[in-house]
Amino acid sequence: MKVYFVRHGLTMFNMMGKMQGWSDTPLTDEGVSVLEKTGEFLKNTHFDSIYSSDLKRAVDTANIIKNENLVSNTEIHLTKNLREMCFGAFEGDKGSDVLKYVVNKYGKVTKSKTDDPFTSIIAKGFLKKSDPTGMAENVEDLSVRIEAVIQQLLNENKIDSTILVVSHGAFLETLILKYFGEKFDDSGAFPDNGSITVTDLTNDDFKLEKFNILPK
């Protein structure tokens, strides 16, 4: 089946550089404008099913794309498994402040200047280790949810279906590195807001066809 993964549109916390996992802020005007272009790009793609994270920024994104579509007639299925990684006590904090905190506590987190520091922090589980609430997730936690989503898609859809899945940045980055990591380094797998990543999924294989398409 063809699976189109879309990252939600730009939000207030995205614009402010704040950590946004299970916390939720609204799409910005710019975010909506980009999503309308994404919807225009996909308007003639027939989706047999649409799945979305149950967080509002993702649901709003799915609805914008659905409303732009001229050839699909399906409900949006919501699932908690598509939620962003939970950042626990760091939710709503400035990303730059969290980075300073982790570096001060654990030392250098990247191998080279080209590595994305937050990818490294997430990969090493530093946020979960540092979170006093015990709510923060790590890559292993997210991988369990990712595998559940993949199995749900296979269980609920015919193999020749075309599916739209709306999720989040760290979720999609983790999925991409988990299944297609040989194609990326530590700085290139994080998708842009409103971007499209196209994959081909079967019971026996999972292929990446296009990554991070951002319609102009």
Side-chain angles (χ1 to χ4, degrees):
M1 72 184 68
K2 201 76 69 178
V3 184
Y4 288 70
F5 291 98
V6 172
R7 183 186 174 199
H8 67 78
L10 184 75
T11 67
M12 184 175 70
F13 269 12
N14 291 152
M15 186 177 62
M16 297 168 66
K18 292 192 172 188
M19 303 289 287
Q20 183 177 223
W22 287 12
S23 60
D24 219 355
T25 60
L27 299 176
T28 63
D29 290 344
E30 178 185 349
V32 171
S33 178
V34 169
L35 287 173
E36 288 172 347
K37 293 175 184 176
T38 304
E40 172 72 16
F41 185 84
L42 295 172
K43 69 179 183 181
N44 291 313
T45 301
H46 178 268
F47 293 112
D48 297 287
S49 299
I50 300 175
Y51 294 82
S52 173
S53 156
D54 64 341
L55 297 174
K56 189 174 186 299
R57 61 190 185 274
V59 177
D60 289 348
T61 295
N63 275 306
I64 289 170
I65 296 173
K66 178 184 174 183
N67 291 339
E68 292 283 331
N69 196 279
L70 303 177
V71 292
S72 304
N73 182 25
T74 183
E75 297 300 314
I76 298 171
H77 307 285
L78 305 184
T79 171
K80 290 182 179 180
N81 279 333
L82 281 168
R83 282 187 180 186
E84 179 61 292
M85 175 179 280
C86 180
F87 300 127
F90 300 103
E91 294 276 348
D93 288 350
K94 289 279 289 187
S96 56
D97 292 340
V98 174
L99 182 58
K100 287 178 186 175
Y101 172 81
V102 171
V103 169
N104 286 337
K105 186 169 184 177
Y106 295 102
K108 188 176 180 180
V109 297
T110 57
K111 289 181 284 187
S112 70
K113 290 182 179 179
T114 60
D115 291 347
D116 179 76
F118 277 101
T119 298
S120 298
I121 287 171
I122 289 170
K124 294 174 181 178
F126 289 147
L127 289 181
K128 182 166 184 170
K129 292 176 185 176
S130 303
D131 177 28
T133 71
M135 293 177 62
E137 294 180 299
N138 59 20
V139 168
E140 289 73 25
D141 298 323
L142 205 51
S143 289
V144 171
R145 294 204 275 117
I146 288 169
E147 289 169 8
V149 166
I150 296 302
Q151 195 57 54
Q152 181 180 6
L153 296 180
L154 290 169
N155 289 345
E156 296 180 355
N157 299 279
K158 296 178 180 179
I159 208 63
D160 60 350
S161 298
T162 300
I163 313 297
L164 174 65
V165 176
V166 179
S167 190
H168 305 265
F171 181 100
L172 293 174
E173 179 186 43
T174 303
L175 182 149
I176 289 159
L177 291 175
K178 176 179 175 67
Y179 292 105
F180 317 114
E182 73 282 355
K183 299 179 184 291
F184 296 89
D185 56 28
D186 281 346
S187 62
F190 197 88
D192 292 316
N193 290 107
S195 67
I196 305 161
T197 294
V198 185
T199 65
D200 189 71
L201 175 66
T202 68
N203 286 300
D204 303 314
D205 201 9
F206 197 14
K207 295 178 181 177
L208 178 66
E209 296 188 352
K210 297 177 183 177
F211 171 69
N212 203 36
I213 303 167
L214 199 58
K216 302 297 184 183

